[in-house]
Amino acid sequence: MTEAEAISLFKGLADKSRLQILKSLAVEDMYVERLAERLGLTASTISFHLKKLSDAGAVSAYKTQYYMMYSLNREIFQTSILEILQQESDEAQKQAQRDAKYRQRVIDAFFEYGKLKSIPTQLKKERIVLEVIAEAFDWDRMYSEREVNLIIADFYDDFCTIRRDMVSGRLLGRNGMEYWRIKND
């Protein structure tokens, strides 16, 4: 189910009359006049709501003798909300671009000529700064504490704070006096 289809379905479900129509169709297929009589609404109101539900893919119609019968599309309701939320958004590329711009603004604000001016107080900004420093470390290599301190000192004088924050932020792993860069997925 696409994002647009999900929005259409949720809008279709966000009306008491449409929800009552769906509940009735869950029991059995019905025609407009029967739904109108059952729900105490006019046939034109039922037709209006059925059109919205049909556009959302929640119901389908078929002809039987003189009547247009409506039935519930059960498959559409088999999809969980979590499955809908986990699908890639139509806006994913725009969101990634916005994230990249934000990241670059943070880097520009806190680094000058490759040196860290100050440690950000906001955790999100600090994480970005620590990720930039972590790029100076090679993957699959063990570092002594002295080597870690020297690398971090190239960025900022208070290497102890940065080293501690990188370990607690799971950017660097530590085993005694050895450190390594952690791969975060």
Side-chain angles (χ1 to χ4, degrees), residues 3 6 10 16 31 38-39 47 49 69-70 84 101 109-110 119 134 148:
E3 202 169 78
F10 290 145
K16 183 179 179 182
Y31 52 94
R38 183 171 199 196
L39 300 176
S47 293
H49 288 306
M69 298 292 286
Y70 289 89
I84 294 169
K101 280 177 137 175
F110 286 94
I119 299 173
V148 170

Side-chain angles (χ1 to χ4, degrees), residues 42-135:
T42 65
S44 61
T45 301
I46 295 293
S47 293
F48 170 80
H49 288 306
L50 284 170
K51 171 78 169 104
K52 293 276 188 189
L53 291 170
S54 181
D55 290 346
V59 299
S60 58
Y62 62 92
K63 193 160 180 106
T64 300
Q65 294 178 337
Y66 306 107
Y67 298 105
M68 187 62 84
M69 298 292 286
Y70 289 89
S71 64
L72 183 68
N73 286 342
R74 296 180 185 277
E75 308 83 46
I76 202 164
F77 295 105
Q78 299 293 328
T79 305
S80 75
I81 292 175
L82 188 57
E83 289 172 336
I84 294 169
L85 295 176
Q86 289 175 335
Q87 285 183 348
E88 185 171 321
S89 172
D90 298 340
E91 298 278 319
Q93 187 175 3
K94 289 179 186 176
Q95 290 170 356
Q97 289 172 345
R98 286 187 209 116
D99 287 345
K101 280 177 137 175
Y102 175 77
R103 181 180 171 82
Q104 191 56 53
R105 280 198 315 270
V106 170
I107 292 169
D108 293 344
F110 286 94
F111 285 93
E112 188 173 87
Y113 304 114
K115 292 280 277 178
L116 181 62
K117 296 188 277 187
S118 64
I119 299 173
T121 54
Q122 288 183 342
L123 292 177
K124 183 177 180 180
K125 291 179 181 178
E126 181 186 15
R127 178 67 183 198
I128 293 169
V129 165
L130 295 177
E131 287 171 354
V132 169
I133 295 171
E135 290 171 6

